[in-house]
Amino acid sequence: MEFILFIFLLSVVQCALGTSCRDNTGTCIASTSSCNGTLYSYACSGTDICCVPFAKNNNCGTTDVGQGKCVSSSSSCSGTTWPTTFCGSNKCCIEMSGTLGVDISELGSVNFFQCLKASGFEYVIIRASRSLGIVDHNAVPSILNALSAGFSDIDVYIFPDSRQNATKQMYNMVDYLNQDGVRYGRIWLDIEGRDTKYWSADKQTNRAFITELVNAGKSLGKDLAFYASKASWDFIVGSDFTPYGNMDLWYARYDWTQNFDDWSPYGGWTKPFMKQWSDSRSLPGLCGGPTPDLNWRPHNY
């Protein structure tokens, strides 16, 4: 979702010769040594380099996504085809227990979405209204580009500003999306944050705002759902605010697992619909476009 820019110092942990590197997938070797795999120059100390070998016994995958098998680049894959160097010129096929999708808050090109589609992602969620309470004008071109790339499961999300009129924000966004060729599914209401930058310190005020936002969307005939974590929901409206338990819930937990094992009920919801399991900082540069958040949901959802 949206991120607030912080200036920070990046500390790099370097590895000594012979130790593991690249999330335990490789080994630090001397720069003069040979490597039957891919070399990375930034993960080891001094002039040493990190050697990540090509797949052994045809195994591949990452700690973020899971383990799979290297298959020919022309072979079909019933799971997710993950971009990796472990398979050389082949591809890594990872069997999934559900379906993967992404959400983005920047402009996505046709090539970007084509890459995601080829990698096994099945749905996209695109920001259509920003936390400043204004329309995100990257949404329509991103939707059209995703459609051109072959995506049919496309949703949008609104990050509302509770200091502004809820109905106006919803109407402005939907009016913007009502353009020729634009097709999208549901609208996700992004209810997040645990400070008073976006939300009132008064929970009753926040409850009234969210209720107005829901009513505005329903008055336009839109299919609505919520993005909210337990911590944010409790801070913004309180744990006893439970009127939307019959609407689908998308939640975030960056544990890099594709299941709901970490989830427990809150806000009137007895089960989630979808999980955001990796944020955009985990896999920078995926498919050469805006770095997406990664999402998972069961096959039958």
Side-chain angles (χ1 to χ4, degrees), residues 129-162:
S129 186
R130 301 173 56 189
S131 61
L132 299 174
I134 59 176
V135 164
D136 187 336
H137 289 282
N138 286 324
V140 165
S142 291
I143 291 171
L144 295 176
N145 289 340
L147 288 168
S148 296
F151 280 99
S152 57
D153 191 342
I154 303 172
D155 290 347
V156 298
Y157 74 87
I158 176 174
F159 193 141
D161 183 352
S162 67

Side-chain angles (χ1 to χ4, degrees), residues 106-184:
E106 300 174 70
L107 177 64
S109 67
V110 173
N111 288 340
F112 169 71
F113 287 116
Q114 286 175 336
C115 173
L116 291 176
K117 188 74 173 176
S119 298
F121 292 97
E122 299 185 26
Y123 51 92
V124 297
I125 307 170
I126 296 169
R127 186 181 67 183
S129 186
R130 301 173 56 189
S131 61
L132 299 174
I134 59 176
V135 164
D136 187 336
H137 289 282
N138 286 324
V140 165
S142 291
I143 291 171
L144 295 176
N145 289 340
L147 288 168
S148 296
F151 280 99
S152 57
D153 191 342
I154 303 172
D155 290 347
V156 298
Y157 74 87
I158 176 174
F159 193 141
D161 183 352
S162 67
R163 298 164 297 182
Q164 300 185 44
N165 183 271
T167 299
K168 184 177 180 180
Q169 290 179 71
M170 178 64 72
Y171 280 25
N172 286 346
M173 182 188 71
V174 172
D175 184 60
Y176 163 69
L177 294 171
N178 286 337
Q179 300 187 34
D180 290 343
V182 174
R183 302 192 307 275
Y184 63 96

Side-chain angles (χ1 to χ4, degrees), residues 6 8 27 75 80 88 91 109 144 156 172 182 189 223 252 279 289:
F6 291 98
F8 61 97
T27 303
S75 299
T80 295
K91 62 185 180 182
S109 67
L144 295 176
V156 298
N172 286 346
V182 174
L189 310 180
D223 182 13
D279 71 359

